[in-house]
């Protein structure tokens, strides 16, 4: 679960953001001044993302960003600025500050949630190993095993745990046929019976539907089982 720090002095907006981010499953720490926010960081360590309002009563969001960038543990924390004026944008997206993104107020909360997700997705988890096989890309499909999330063309696909295991197995064995028996043993941990073999078919059908255009990559191998195509279709 990602930790998000918000610093915003407009109380209503702060409450709205805190509520919506919590709904998305993030751990959220909300403050109305830069000083309080930095105090929290000093105490608790770097968050996975900081949402910073620019115009704050004491130190500005830009000052907060500078402070994060100039301290080793927080140097790479992604920052998304919340700006009241589009003129500020030139300042925050400059190389000097290296903001990851910004939104201009008033903004659509839904859209902000998508931006947050996008930033967290592309930022390397702080404790990740350099050689990390938890992430698989296949055409527009992206599978993150650690977070148990799947996306097709940037849209998150919600899979049941069985569907996730099934996709994981097929995707990890791209180009190789997986018989229904093997799938039953590895995904369902059961031995073959006629009824259970049909279970595999039903799950594959549903998985294909959920994956949309990528679903075609799961090929039926007659009388045997299924195979995930080795390479994505050309776009
Ligand atoms: Ca403000």
């Amino acid at each position: 679960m990602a930790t998000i720090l918000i610093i915003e002095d407009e109380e209503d907006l702060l409450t709205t953001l805190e509520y919506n981010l919590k709904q998305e499953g993030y751990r959220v720490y909300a403050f109305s001044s830069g000083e309080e926010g930095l105090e929290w960081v000093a105490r608790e360590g770097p968050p996975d993302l900081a949402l910073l309002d620019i115009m704050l009563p004491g130190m500005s969001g830009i000052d907060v960003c500078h402070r994060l960038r100039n301290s080793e543990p927080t140097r790479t924390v992604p920052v998304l600025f919340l700006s009241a004026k589009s003129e500020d944008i030139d300042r925050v997206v400059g190389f000097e500050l290296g903001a990851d993104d910004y939104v201009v107020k008033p903004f659509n909360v839904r859209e902000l949630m998508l931006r947050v997700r996008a930033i967290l997705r592309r930022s390397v988890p702080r404790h990740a190993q350099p050689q990390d096989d938890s992430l698989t890309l296949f055409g527009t499909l992206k599978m993150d095993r650690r977070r148990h999330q799947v996306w097709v063309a940037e849209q998150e696909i919600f899979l049941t745990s069985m569907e996730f295991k099934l996709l994981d197995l097929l995707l990890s064995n791209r180009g190789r046929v997986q018989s229904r028996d093997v799938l039953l043993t590895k995904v369902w941990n059961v031995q073959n019976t006629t009824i259970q073999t049909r279970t595999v078919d039903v799950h594959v059908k549903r998985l294909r539907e959920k994956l949309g255009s990528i679903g075609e990559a799961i090929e039926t191998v007659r009388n045997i089982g299924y195979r995930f195509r080795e390479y994505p279709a050309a776009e």
Side-chain angles (χ1 to χ4, degrees):
M1 198 193 337
T3 301
I4 299 179
L5 169 72
I6 319 173
I7 304 179
E8 166 61 68
D9 64 318
E10 286 166 51
E11 225 171 275
D12 289 352
L13 182 55
L14 186 64
T15 310
T16 303
L17 292 177
E18 187 178 9
Y19 173 80
N20 281 278
L21 289 165
K22 280 184 175 167
Q23 288 290 104
E24 296 279 309
Y26 301 118
R27 255 191 309 253
V28 184
Y29 296 89
F31 301 95
S32 52
S33 79
E35 288 83 351
E36 287 173 296
L38 286 172
E39 221 169 85
W40 178 85
V41 172
R43 203 171 56 236
E44 304 290 330
D48 295 301
L49 170 66
L51 300 189
L52 306 177
D53 178 27
I54 292 183
M55 296 292 286
L56 292 165
M59 64 191 304
S60 74
I62 292 178
D63 294 335
V64 173
C65 185
H66 271 300
R67 292 275 289 274
L68 293 174
R69 291 286 178 263
N70 290 333
S71 160
E72 192 49 40
T74 54
R75 199 175 46 80
T76 59
V77 168
V79 170
L80 187 154
F81 278 108
L82 313 172
S83 168
K85 297 184 309 217
S86 48
E87 302 93 81
D88 285 328
I89 297 313
D90 289 345
R91 296 162 65 201
V92 304
V93 294
F95 286 110
E96 189 199 353
L97 273 171
D100 290 77
D101 205 351
Y102 64 89
V103 288
V104 178
K105 297 176 193 173
F107 52 82
N108 178 301
V109 173
R110 220 38 252 164
E111 198 204 321
L112 180 70
M113 295 302 130
L114 294 176
R115 303 264 196 108
V116 163
R117 221 187 265 182
I119 293 176
L120 289 171
R121 197 159 58 209
R122 65 180 182 249
S123 67
V124 182
R126 274 178 286 122
H127 307 294
Q129 299 299 314
Q131 292 298 320
D132 186 0
D133 63 355
S134 68
L135 209 62
T136 300
L137 300 173
F138 180 91
T140 56
L141 173 77
K142 180 168 160 175
M143 180 176 217
D144 187 331
R145 291 178 183 78
R146 182 182 299 111
R147 293 191 193 171
H148 232 262
Q149 281 177 294
V150 173
W151 300 265
V152 173
E154 305 284 309
Q155 288 285 331
E156 186 166 3
I157 309 292
F158 296 95
L159 300 180
T160 64
S161 63
M162 281 304 179
E163 289 162 352
F164 191 91
K165 279 172 84 174
L166 181 60
L167 176 62
D168 190 7
L169 187 72
L170 291 169
L171 195 57
S172 305
N173 293 283
R174 285 195 289 285
R176 276 178 281 163
V177 183
Q178 303 299 309
S179 71
R180 290 183 176 82
D181 289 352
V182 165
L183 292 172
L184 277 172
T185 312
K186 291 192 178 166
V187 178
W188 281 267
N189 296 321
V190 290
Q191 296 304 309
N192 179 24
T193 74
T194 313
I195 293 167
Q196 284 162 340
T197 303
R198 283 207 49 220
T199 301
V200 176
D201 297 337
V202 170
H203 275 80
V204 168
K205 183 168 178 283
R206 210 175 301 154
L207 180 60
R208 272 184 184 144
E209 286 166 4
K210 285 191 179 180
L211 294 177
S213 57
I214 289 287
E216 294 168 16
I218 304 175
E219 300 169 331
T220 303
V221 181
R222 244 186 118 204
N223 298 329
I224 303 176
Y226 297 95
R227 173 177 54 210
F228 206 97
R229 211 183 282 151
E230 189 155 15
Y231 301 104
E235 275 159 37

